[in-house]
Amino acid sequence: MAAPETNRLAVAAGRNREQIRYRCVGIGIGPANLSLASLLHGRPDISNLFLEREPEFGWHDGQLFHGATLQVSLLKDLVTLADPANEFSFLAYLHDQGRIYHFANAQFDAIPRQEYRNYLEWASKRNKNLLFGERVRSVEFDGLFRIRTDHRTFTAENIAVGIGQRPWLPACTTGKLGETQFHVSDFLTTAGDLSGKRVAVVGGGQSGAEAVLDLISRVERPVANVTWLSRRPNYLPLDDSPFTNDYYMPCHSDYFAGLDPATRAEFNRRQVLSSDGISMSTLRQLYQQFYLHRFVYGHEGLVSLYPNREVVDVAGRPGEWELTCRHNAHAGTLERVRADVVVWATGYRPSRMDFLTPLESRLERENEEYRIDRSFAVRWDGPRDRNIFVQNATRQQRGLADPNLSLLAWRCRRIIDRLREVDSDDQLPSFLEWSAQRPVDGQERT
């Protein structure tokens, strides 16, 4: 269905909803708010509506590389870890599509990312409380929240913001982006035919690795050269070990929130590879391809690997770029890399919430983030039963798990508990004792 027609239907669908006073209105429909919408589906006690500016559902569509897989368990879907019997689980999706036996027989080590994206879209289409093509312009408060979109105004007692992350690019790219220099999130829509081109990929995480793997796997129209630059000292693996995964449990999220800001920041820095490392399967594929190209196929100059380099500037013009890199292990020695195309796999930052500007002076801040309580509600001067929940926007306060898929369902359940004014029982705590247990000399236990 074309986008204009989708928008027309969305406008028509929303006309009868303006008079409703919702218990909760969600802003943004990505995995976070889609999880909340799925857990609220069919609950008459919590009227809800979710709004999305785009005309239809999408999730990392510009970088769904062939063969890419998720880095989390299939149990970490929209609902299972909070409500295993929920009709919006990944297994329910497979069963509904008639292929649950085929999926079991395929013995995937990890869920294909395209499959997970299809699952999310399936969930979005089954929920009638989702409206697409509704860009939220502002949120005001007069005892109730007034959510103003391009088309109308909705009224809610609570709102849940889940607008996701935006691509991050260094300042040196300003004014230089286009068909030959772009963020990896636009790879599939922008890269086009790169045959015979020198391509530089900047970024040593999973996205950068997938881009490099895609580029060196182009057999019919091969690139001339791929230069892979990373600030990290090597191309480092995701730490997916059992005890590290305890960082992605609810009990650790709560423990982390109680630490002082400096300790939290240091933890995120030291443990970043638990969320932003490269999957071992991807590293293995890359190394095997490097071996084959150099020693078997005779493509000795195809790949140049430059770890420990930080790109500090990019100059030139489209198709003739020169990157200046600082070698972090050699007293900041500067090097030059020339490329026809530059792919920036430099990650994401929380999206701006400009629609909250009318309330900004009433909301508490902790550095760049809104300060939240244990229910992921922003601390503000409004009534306690009027909440602004935020999802995927408090990494400094809630740790590396916050933008990760691991705690989606648990976080949404905690939001629902707040709406219901109940306190659900959590699962059993970690094997690991995170807090100090034996205070000495009269010190209180932390």
Side-chain angles (χ1 to χ4, degrees):
M1 183 179 295
E5 177 67 6
T6 302
N7 284 333
R8 185 186 68 78
L9 294 176
V11 171
R15 286 186 184 130
N16 297 327
R17 307 192 192 215
E18 292 181 66
Q19 306 305 316
I20 299 175
R21 171 173 163 171
Y22 290 97
R23 187 81 172 100
C24 183
V25 165
I27 301 173
I29 303 176
N33 265 352
L34 188 55
S35 173
L36 183 59
S38 299
L39 289 166
L40 286 174
H41 186 263
R43 296 190 64 109
D45 58 324
I46 304 177
S47 57
N48 61 90
L49 181 68
F50 290 79
L51 311 173
E52 168 58 47
R53 68 179 183 179
E54 299 297 334
E56 55 192 14
F57 182 82
W59 184 68
H60 294 305
D61 292 353
Q63 62 178 96
L64 289 174
F65 294 101
H66 179 75
T69 59
L70 281 191
Q71 293 184 307
V72 298
S73 162
L74 64 81
L75 296 178
K76 296 179 177 180
D77 60 13
L78 296 173
V79 296
T80 296
L81 293 182
D83 181 8
N86 192 285
E87 63 182 296
F88 287 91
S89 70
F90 181 72
L91 291 181
Y93 154 76
L94 291 175
H95 189 272
D96 179 73
Q97 298 297 298
R99 57 173 181 265
I100 194 166
Y101 287 99
H102 304 79
F103 185 87
N105 291 344
Q107 299 181 17
F108 289 111
D109 292 327
I111 302 174
R113 194 176 300 162
Q114 179 70 54
E115 175 91 291
Y116 192 78
R117 185 255 182 237
N118 294 345
Y119 155 63
L120 297 176
E121 183 178 40
W122 168 86
S124 74
K125 289 181 176 179
R126 287 169 60 90
N127 194 330
K128 302 304 181 184
N129 290 340
L130 275 56
L131 277 183
F132 290 88
E134 290 278 352
R135 180 189 294 269
V136 173
R137 293 298 185 180
S138 68
V139 177
E140 300 167 10
F141 184 78
D142 58 5
L144 294 171
F145 292 103
R146 310 289 178 181
I147 303 100
R148 305 188 189 281
T149 75
D150 287 334
H151 309 296
R152 60 185 64 80
T153 299
F154 297 97
T155 303
E157 297 173 6
N158 304 272
I159 62 172
V161 181
I163 58 174
Q165 311 254 320
R166 70 185 191 279
W168 183 86
L169 290 153
C172 63
T173 65
T174 302
K176 301 166 187 172
L177 301 179
E179 293 183 357
T180 64
Q181 190 169 171
F182 48 85
H183 192 269
V184 70
S185 59
D186 295 320
F187 190 98
L188 298 182
T189 56
T190 306
D193 182 9
L194 298 176
S195 56
K197 303 290 187 182
R198 300 167 300 170
V199 184
V201 177
V202 184
Q206 181 70 17
S207 296
E210 289 173 355
V212 171
L213 185 58
D214 177 271
L215 290 166
I216 64 174
S217 300
R218 300 183 174 203
V219 177
E220 295 183 359
R221 295 178 176 272
V223 298
N225 169 263
V226 178
T227 300
W228 189 10
L229 300 127
S230 174
R231 289 185 301 177
R232 295 174 181 170
N234 204 338
Y235 302 101
L236 301 172
L238 177 77
D239 185 349
D240 195 30
S241 55
F243 289 104
T244 296
N245 273 320
D246 272 37
Y247 298 148
Y248 297 83
M249 290 179 65
C251 57
H252 189 269
S253 178
D254 283 339
Y255 165 75
F256 182 92
L259 299 173
D260 67 83
T263 302
R264 297 198 305 253
E266 176 61 16
F267 178 92
N268 282 345
R269 187 192 67 79
R270 285 188 290 105
Q271 301 299 334
V272 67
L273 293 176
S274 67
S275 70
D276 196 33
I278 304 171
S279 297
M280 282 298 299
S281 59
T282 306
L283 288 172
R284 190 175 298 112
Q285 290 180 71
L286 282 165
Y287 204 95
Q288 290 172 355
Q289 287 296 313
F290 297 160
Y291 178 96
L292 291 170
H293 279 295
R294 174 170 294 191
F295 300 127
V296 179
Y297 305 145
H299 303 157
E300 186 170 344
L302 179 64
V303 180
S304 302
L305 301 176
Y306 290 164
N308 238 331
R309 271 80 163 187
E310 182 171 1
V311 178
V312 296
D313 192 26
V314 57
R317 57 185 180 179
E320 297 179 21
W321 301 112
E322 183 177 83
L323 287 75
T324 302
C325 311
R326 181 172 57 236
H327 198 307
N328 294 326
H330 290 278
T333 301
L334 295 180
E335 300 173 316
R336 302 281 189 271
V337 171
R338 290 179 174 80
D340 304 310
V341 176
V342 183
V343 181
W344 295 92
T346 43
Y348 296 82
R349 299 291 187 275
S351 297
R352 294 173 57 89
M353 304 180 200
D354 293 337
F355 47 80
L356 292 179
T357 299
L359 305 176
E360 185 66 32
S361 63
R362 307 183 63 179
L363 310 179
E364 293 186 23
R365 284 272 187 180
E366 183 170 311
N367 298 319
E368 303 96 35
E369 299 177 351
Y370 289 117
R371 188 188 302 275
I372 59 166
D373 62 20
R374 71 183 303 273
S375 298
F376 296 88
V378 178
R379 296 184 182 277
W380 73 313
D381 64 2
R384 190 183 184 282
D385 62 346
R386 300 291 185 261
N387 299 290
I388 303 169
F389 301 104
V390 293
Q391 304 212 63
N392 280 15
T394 55
R395 186 173 183 241
Q396 295 173 22
Q397 298 171 74
R398 280 287 172 171
L400 299 167
D402 191 66
N404 191 279
L405 296 174
S406 296
L407 294 181
L408 280 185
W410 166 77
R411 181 174 58 205
C412 290
R413 192 192 69 177
R414 185 161 281 187
I415 291 172
I416 294 171
D417 282 354
R418 178 71 163 266
L419 294 173
R420 295 177 59 222
E421 298 182 343
V422 301
D423 191 6
S424 298
D425 292 332
D426 279 327
Q427 296 293 299
L428 296 174
S430 168
F431 295 134
L432 304 172
E433 291 286 356
W434 300 112
S435 299
Q437 299 298 305
R438 296 182 177 85
V440 296
D441 299 328
Q443 295 178 357
E444 293 186 6
R445 183 166 126 181
T446 58

